[in-house]
Amino acid sequence: MVDSNTAIAAATGAESNAAAPARVYKVGTLRYTRAGLVALFLWLLWGDFCSNLFQNIFGNFLPLFLHHLKASNALIAFLSTGISGWVNLLFLPNISAASDRCRSRWGRRIPFLFWSTPIAALALIGLGYSPELGGWLHGTVGPLRAISLVGLTLTIAGAFVMMYSLFLMTSGNVYQYLVRDVVPQEAMVWFFSLFRVVGIGAIFLFQWFLFRYIVDQPRMLCVGVGLIYAVSFVMICWGVKEGRYPPPPPRPRHNLILGELKTYMRYFRECLSVGIYRNYIFVSILQIAGSMATAPFAVLFAMKTLRIDASDYGRVLAWATLASGIISLPTAYLCKRFHPMRVALASVILMALGPAAIFFFAWNRTGLLACSIAMAFPSVGWFIGGTAVNMLLFPAGEFGKFSSSLMAIGWGSLALTSYLIGAFMNFFAGNYRMGFLASLVCYAAAIVPMYAVYRGWKSHGGPDNYIPPLPAVDGR
């Protein structure tokens, strides 16, 4: 456990009694010895491992499940990504602001993690059993017999997807805020390189050993991984300790609903009023739209268009994931050598090459494997460089608010783009290859706003003297 032996509140004035002076890592009121930092990393990396398993089950199971029920491409896109977009747009601003303001004996992030992760796990398990639940309700509740069994099952699945999206959005974003609050800045790049390696390890294990069961035994996977996810995050809430925060600014006195609405509107006004943040939000919109353009259909492209079975496709993904793991630590070195902002800019420029390669050259298992491995290089650069940029770009005191704007507005854009992508796929009669063309366009369009972010970062101090601008100071 990361306790007072390893993470020492500065307010206590405690000092290490070790005979030899040891380096102390600082973030806020927390102080870590090297052993304490290692313990912290182990807890957080374990959480990332379980989270990646959890999200991969959902992301791969849902499109196949909906396709089996003869859902349209538009419905597959909406349930796979569109609901997440609406949830992030409508709820993330106020949840993030509430987390920034929260003060409890557990801290300001851990209470949100403690309550949200078990409910997200329950939603995944419920999704796995929605056909059985739909059949039981259809047979026992008389008025529901007026609805087709497939329609009732899809409705139940949609409810579980919404529940999953809301609570996974809460836990996933608050977990990122927790990392920002407890990991020292000088260790951030190395942490995220390890974060990437561990996440890749989880994905590799899932793809190599478990992906085949997505078709044959999805319920077993949903239950097993859901329980692991819930238990692991409850353990993290016990094992990771937050520091002390200054009191939040006084909350204005007003009607609760009116106050939440004002918080919601002020959130977007402030996040969009600073030029460098506004441009980075545009990058986030295009990057998320680019990845989500193919996410619900990539598994269908491989298994329905290229006729690759589940076991072979899982191993294609696993090899690409392994390539990502191999280049993660060298990418971290590049971030340390040239700065994460420069690595992120270069990665955005190269991101469009991946979907272009699949669109033009992936006509069989070998072609898909080669293209997927090639995509790993800029994807890792963007993950490590872009994640580190997220941590460095925004002011620490309101990190949750400004950082969450990337997710709220970026994922919120999926409320529209998921419909457009679904309609686009329907127009091409389910030609799943066309999803990669849409992804290519989105990635290419992200280059211009990312270059504007790079220039704004340099104008505000660059690598050595960057000071995050605030709306009251810089309203450009």
Side-chain angles (χ1 to χ4, degrees):
M1 182 174 70
V2 183
D3 56 18
S4 58
N5 294 321
T6 55
I8 311 165
T12 66
E15 301 289 342
S16 173
N17 293 320
R23 182 173 180 181
V24 176
Y25 298 86
K26 305 175 183 180
V27 56
T29 64
L30 295 171
R31 303 291 183 267
Y32 300 99
T33 63
R34 183 165 295 179
L37 194 62
V38 169
L40 174 71
F41 276 25
L42 289 175
W43 277 115
L44 295 176
L45 293 172
W46 167 244
D48 182 58
F49 180 90
C50 296
S51 180
N52 274 281
L53 280 180
F54 185 68
Q55 294 182 60
N56 266 269
I57 293 292
F58 176 84
N60 288 285
F61 165 70
L62 185 60
L64 291 172
F65 170 71
L66 296 174
H67 185 271
H68 177 72
L69 292 177
K70 308 298 183 185
S72 68
N73 290 317
L75 184 59
I76 291 174
F78 175 72
L79 290 179
S80 299
T81 60
I83 285 182
S84 295
W86 279 110
V87 164
N88 276 270
L89 182 64
L90 295 175
F91 299 106
L92 183 56
N94 284 345
I95 289 174
S96 298
S99 179
D100 281 342
R101 294 184 57 86
C102 178
R103 300 293 184 271
S104 75
R105 62 188 182 90
W106 286 0
R108 62 178 180 176
R109 312 301 186 189
I110 289 174
F112 289 82
L113 289 177
F114 183 80
W115 294 108
S116 61
T117 50
I119 301 176
L122 181 63
L124 178 66
I125 295 170
L127 177 64
Y129 282 92
S130 54
E132 288 78 6
L133 182 57
W136 179 76
L137 288 173
H138 196 266
T140 57
V141 181
L144 293 180
R145 293 173 188 165
I147 307 172
S148 70
L149 178 58
V150 170
L152 179 61
T153 301
L154 285 173
T155 301
I156 293 170
F160 280 122
V161 168
M162 182 172 293
M163 179 178 166
Y164 170 93
S165 299
L166 175 61
F167 290 98
L168 180 69
M169 175 270 295
T170 301
S171 63
N173 282 281
V174 171
Y175 193 63
Q176 292 292 323
Y177 311 157
L178 177 67
V179 169
R180 175 62 176 80
D181 287 346
V182 301
V183 176
Q185 286 292 333
E186 62 265 38
M188 194 68 73
V189 167
W190 290 112
F191 172 77
F192 277 110
S193 65
L194 292 172
F195 207 66
R196 179 65 175 176
V197 170
V198 169
I200 284 171
I203 296 169
F204 179 85
L205 291 174
F206 167 75
Q207 292 166 342
W208 191 270
F209 295 106
L210 300 178
F211 191 93
R212 69 189 74 179
Y213 300 114
I214 282 286
V215 174
D216 298 331
Q217 301 184 51
R219 295 164 187 81
M220 176 193 72
L221 289 180
C222 290
V223 172
V225 174
L227 291 176
I228 290 172
Y229 176 75
V231 171
S232 68
F233 269 79
V234 170
M235 291 173 62
I236 288 168
C237 291
W238 170 80
V240 176
K241 302 301 180 185
E242 297 185 58
R244 301 188 182 200
Y245 305 104
R251 186 187 296 273
R253 294 184 179 181
H254 41 48
N255 177 271
L256 178 61
I257 296 176
L258 180 61
E260 291 300 308
L261 181 60
K262 286 183 176 180
T263 299
Y264 185 80
M265 299 305 296
R266 184 172 62 251
Y267 169 93
F268 287 106
R269 185 173 64 252
E270 292 183 358
C271 291
L272 291 171
S273 66
V274 180
I276 188 172
Y277 304 156
R278 184 169 59 247
N279 285 316
Y280 201 55
I281 288 169
F282 291 153
V283 175
S284 179
I285 290 172
L286 292 166
Q287 287 283 334
I288 290 173
S291 62
M292 291 298 106
T294 56
F297 303 110
V299 61
L300 297 175
F301 169 72
M303 298 179 66
K304 305 301 179 181
T305 301
L306 300 185
R307 305 295 181 184
I308 301 173
D309 65 35
S311 179
D312 279 347
Y313 181 54
R315 296 193 174 187
V316 167
L317 295 176
W319 283 117
T321 299
L322 183 61
S324 298
I326 291 171
I327 64 175
S328 290
L329 290 177
T331 302
Y333 169 77
L334 292 176
C335 288
K336 293 291 287 185
R337 176 68 176 81
F338 298 105
H339 196 278
M341 180 66 75
R342 296 188 177 102
V343 173
L345 175 61
S347 299
V348 168
I349 294 171
L350 295 173
M351 286 288 279
L353 298 180
I358 292 180
F359 182 79
F360 289 109
F361 302 114
W363 298 96
N364 52 38
R365 180 184 181 278
T366 302
L368 182 62
L369 174 61
C371 295
S372 298
I373 291 175
M375 287 178 67
F377 291 87
S379 297
V380 170
W382 173 249
F383 178 86
I384 296 177
T387 305
V389 167
N390 291 352
M391 299 295 166
L392 300 171
L393 194 66
F394 303 109
E398 297 181 287
F399 179 79
K401 178 176 72 176
F402 285 100
S403 177
S404 68
S405 64
L406 298 177
M407 297 298 292
I409 301 176
W411 280 84
S413 67
L414 288 178
L416 173 62
T417 57
S418 65
Y419 170 78
L420 296 177
I421 290 166
F424 178 77
M425 298 299 293
N426 281 341
F427 179 79
F428 286 99
N431 181 356
Y432 299 119
R433 185 179 298 274
M434 297 303 295
F436 295 97
L437 180 62
S439 183
L440 164 62
V441 172
C442 293
Y443 284 145
I447 296 173
V448 173
M450 187 63 203
Y451 182 68
V453 171
Y454 175 75
R455 293 190 62 182
W457 166 72
K458 292 188 71 175
S459 71
H460 284 95
D464 299 320
N465 301 297
Y466 175 73
I467 298 175
L470 292 170
V473 176
D474 182 1
R476 289 182 301 165

